[in-house]
Amino acid sequence: MTSAVTTDNSARPGYGQLLRTPGALGFVLPGFAARLPFGMLTISILLLVQHTTGSYGSAGIVAAVTGISMALSAPLMGIFTDRLGQSAVLLPVVLTHAAAVSGLAALALLGAPVWALALAAVPAGASVPQVGPMVRARWAAKLEGSPLLSTAAAFESVTDEFTFVVGPVLATALCTGVHPAAGLVTEATLTLLGGLLFAARRATQPKTHAPSATGEKRAFALSFPGLRVLVFAFLGIGAVFGGMQVSLAAFSDEIGNPGANGLLYGVFAAGNMIAGIAMGAVAWKIGPRRRLILGYIGLTAAASVLWAAHSVILLGAVGLVVGLCIAPALITGYTMVEQLVPAAARTEAFTWLTGSIAFGQAVAVILAGRLTDAHGSSYGFLVPMAATALALATLLALRSKLAPRSPSRIVGASGQDRTDTSQTAPGNAPRTAPQTSPNRVNERGLGHRVPVTVD
């Protein structure tokens, strides 16, 4: 079990200070090993099924079914994790996933029809272990109320994006240089081994929140309106990932250089990783809601240019900018969960966001695959443009729902009425007039006199 730690606010919270948190490396390292395969799954399915069927549309359908299944199962996995504990959920999940992915690869190599592959993709997607949300929940339990929590969110985004740098490149190299099914086989093996290692680190697991013996209902994460807005915003981010994966693969085929796919996607993901590192190093003086909207405006503008890039150099440059613009929105959204959702439902909340990305990615893979088959890769890039524009419009219309919850009496997972005083993140005052406090620690934890900006 974990407990919140007190952080020295006299120093600027950085990655070094974060990783010196007692017990952190014990779950960070195996957590990274367990989530690395996540960046390999979709691209491995796309390349294998496209190889066996000759159609990006068919490959997109199978990959999309995987993503949709994951999106639907992720919140349920989060609910069970909050109630039963991470290890209790993770052990059967990784075993099921390894078996399901192996079966999908075997069916594809045997020339099974698309409907059979799509059917096999259901358990493969539904059993994707939600290691990223579990790691974030461990950080949240360790750092509740600490200015290092935003640094942890940035660190996790960097870790996620590193897997999306290494994962697609590794999967592409395996599928094109070793065997079309090598990517999926490697993904299943790494998921099994990494998941077992992470599950073994029981000491840092967040405490479980069992149902109330009095029969009172638990507040589910999606019942909080701010999280619902974030879920919709993350659909657009997922559409960028999905549209980029299909369209970059198709573009590489069109120019006669399939190997360029991994390089181009790696440049895109590297931009996200670089921006994530910068996000964790900056002491922000503007509120997270404003940061989210500004980041999404940049993402929408950058995604709107992708369709016009017709060379490797230009597409790589635009993809890099898109990657740079994803991190501010992604990191800020994850950081806001602490403000919008009580601790008893936090793992579930993280899985809703992860599932939303997967669902947006799945829909984008289908649409981009259809458009690419019919008209070429340039049309596939229209999917990220349209999705981010729609998500931005929703964010602007419902931005009032993203205000931090004021301390109030809520019903927790135990069913007991209690005072919630932990949901206003450092540097985010209740919604009152702007003020300046000589002793207030700002959002990134600087211990000197700073204006407290209220968004």
Side-chain angles (χ1 to χ4, degrees):
M1 301 301 175
T2 61
S3 59
V5 298
T6 302
T7 306
D8 179 10
N9 291 337
S10 64
R12 178 176 180 166
Y15 294 118
Q17 184 181 351
L18 176 72
L19 294 177
R20 287 193 296 271
T21 301
L25 290 179
F27 66 84
V28 167
L29 295 179
F32 172 75
R35 68 215 284 190
L36 175 61
F38 187 82
M40 302 175 62
L41 183 59
T42 300
I43 191 68
S44 295
I45 292 174
L46 280 170
L47 294 176
L48 175 60
V49 177
Q50 195 278 331
H51 173 81
T52 58
T53 66
S55 168
Y56 279 106
S58 297
I61 290 174
V62 179
V65 170
T66 305
I68 292 171
S69 298
M70 192 195 88
L72 294 176
S73 69
L76 292 175
M77 203 176 296
I79 292 172
F80 286 119
T81 299
D82 281 329
R83 294 186 178 187
L84 303 177
Q86 295 185 358
S87 294
V89 172
L90 197 55
L91 289 173
V93 164
V94 296
L95 292 171
T96 301
H97 183 73
V101 169
S102 299
L104 174 60
L107 285 173
L109 293 175
L110 291 173
V114 174
W115 66 264
L117 296 177
L119 191 62
V122 173
S127 60
V128 171
Q130 297 300 309
V131 178
M134 290 181 184
V135 173
R136 285 183 166 90
R138 294 193 187 207
W139 280 124
K142 276 279 185 185
L143 303 173
E144 187 165 2
S146 165
L148 275 173
L149 191 58
S150 293
T151 306
F155 178 81
E156 287 306 305
S157 182
V158 172
T159 302
D160 283 340
E161 291 318 308
F162 186 76
T163 67
F164 279 101
V165 172
V166 176
V169 175
L170 177 60
T172 300
L174 290 170
C175 292
T176 58
V178 179
H179 189 276
L184 275 184
V185 172
T186 303
E187 189 274 344
T189 303
L190 291 176
T191 298
L192 178 61
L193 296 178
L196 292 176
L197 285 173
F198 182 78
R201 309 300 298 186
R202 296 174 180 268
T204 53
Q205 291 185 90
K207 64 180 180 180
T208 58
H209 300 274
S212 171
T214 63
E216 293 186 70
K217 292 185 177 180
R218 173 187 183 274
F220 290 99
L222 209 59
S223 65
F224 297 92
L227 182 67
R228 296 198 294 269
V229 176
L230 289 180
V231 165
F232 202 92
F234 274 45
L235 285 172
I237 293 175
V240 174
F241 287 123
M244 292 286 281
Q245 285 182 336
V246 173
S247 302
L248 289 176
F251 174 82
S252 299
D253 280 347
E254 289 170 1
I255 64 173
N257 185 11
N261 175 35
L263 175 63
L264 287 171
Y265 196 86
V267 169
F268 157 68
N272 198 347
M273 185 170 64
I274 292 169
I277 293 173
M279 285 285 294
V282 173
W284 296 98
K285 295 184 179 180
I286 62 175
R289 179 173 56 174
R290 189 174 302 170
R291 289 207 313 271
L292 177 63
I293 292 174
L294 291 175
Y296 225 105
I297 290 173
L299 175 60
T300 304
S304 299
V305 185
L306 284 168
W307 67 273
H310 299 295
S311 69
V312 172
I313 294 177
L314 184 57
L315 188 55
V318 176
L320 178 66
V321 175
V322 173
L324 289 170
C325 293
I326 281 183
L330 192 68
I331 292 172
T332 304
Y334 275 120
T335 303
M336 294 177 74
V337 168
E338 191 204 13
Q339 306 172 28
L340 301 172
V341 179
R346 203 163 285 156
T347 303
E348 180 197 346
F350 287 133
T351 56
W352 272 110
L353 297 185
T354 303
S356 179
I357 293 175
F359 190 84
Q361 180 177 345
V363 174
V365 163
I366 292 177
L367 296 177
R370 295 285 186 178
L371 290 171
T372 296
D373 278 346
H375 305 290
S377 61
S378 294
Y379 283 80
F381 287 122
L382 295 177
V383 175
M385 179 182 74
T388 52
L390 181 59
L392 175 60
T394 302
L395 268 178
L396 293 173
L398 301 177
R399 61 188 181 275
S400 63
K401 304 295 184 182
L402 295 172
R405 296 185 305 115
S406 300
S408 59
R409 301 190 67 81
I410 64 172
V411 176
S414 64
Q416 299 300 315
D417 189 40
R418 62 183 176 86
T419 300
D420 177 23
T421 59
S422 64
Q423 305 309 320
T424 301
N428 291 288
R431 292 181 57 79
T432 56
Q435 54 182 308
T436 300
S437 171
N439 300 314
R440 186 68 177 269
V441 179
N442 76 347
E443 188 176 60
R444 298 292 303 141
L446 294 177
H448 54 267
R449 292 172 179 255
V450 293
V452 179
T453 304
V454 179
D455 184 10

